[in-house]
Amino acid sequence: MKETAQKLREKGLKVTPQRIAVYNMLLHSHEHPNAETIYRTLEETNPTMSLATVYKTLDNFKHLGLVQELNVGEASSRYDATVTCHPHTVCTCCGKVEDLDIPELTNLHTAVADKLDFEVECEQLILYGKCSACLQLERQQIS
């Protein structure tokens, strides 16, 4: 909690229980939740927090470089506390979004930089397909 408060202060933000809760949830989540999921998860322990507060907090965090906003083709954005460029997978069946830890795909733009007349700041590589759980379920239904 102290580390989160310090990080928020370093970015010039007032430290509030709501901001700490949202940031800590993102730090400890591998699910890349959207604002509504964050709100529903935190609402019981933070009854004074509104959905609007979650949206404003995420927008502030995004602009200050504390979180990365992911648009994976859904109606609402998802958020990731890992702000370094890294690829993701998205299951087209269940919607699960996961980090993809393959060094050759991380910072792919550096491999093609000499072929571009463009300065890339960051990339978002997203691979769409079926996760292993959905593939297994599909195979069981076919059998």
Side-chain angles (χ1 to χ4, degrees), residues 12-60:
L13 287 173
K14 180 180 174 187
V15 176
T16 66
Q18 293 89 349
R19 286 179 175 155
I20 288 173
V22 170
Y23 193 65
N24 278 340
M25 181 188 171
L26 287 170
L27 278 176
H28 299 102
S29 171
H30 299 289
E31 298 179 15
H32 306 80
N34 61 26
E36 292 82 5
T37 301
I38 294 169
Y39 172 71
R40 283 192 311 272
T41 303
L42 297 175
E43 138 181 73
E44 188 175 314
T45 56
N46 296 271
T48 61
M49 185 178 348
S50 67
L51 181 57
T53 298
V54 173
Y55 274 107
K56 288 178 200 169
T57 299
L58 291 168
D59 192 53
N60 281 331

Side-chain angles (χ1 to χ4, degrees), residues 98-117:
E98 291 186 320
D99 293 331
L100 187 57
D101 188 22
I102 299 176
E104 296 83 9
L105 296 179
T106 302
N107 291 318
L108 186 61
H109 70 275
T110 57
V112 297
D114 60 333
K115 295 174 179 63
L116 301 175
D117 183 23

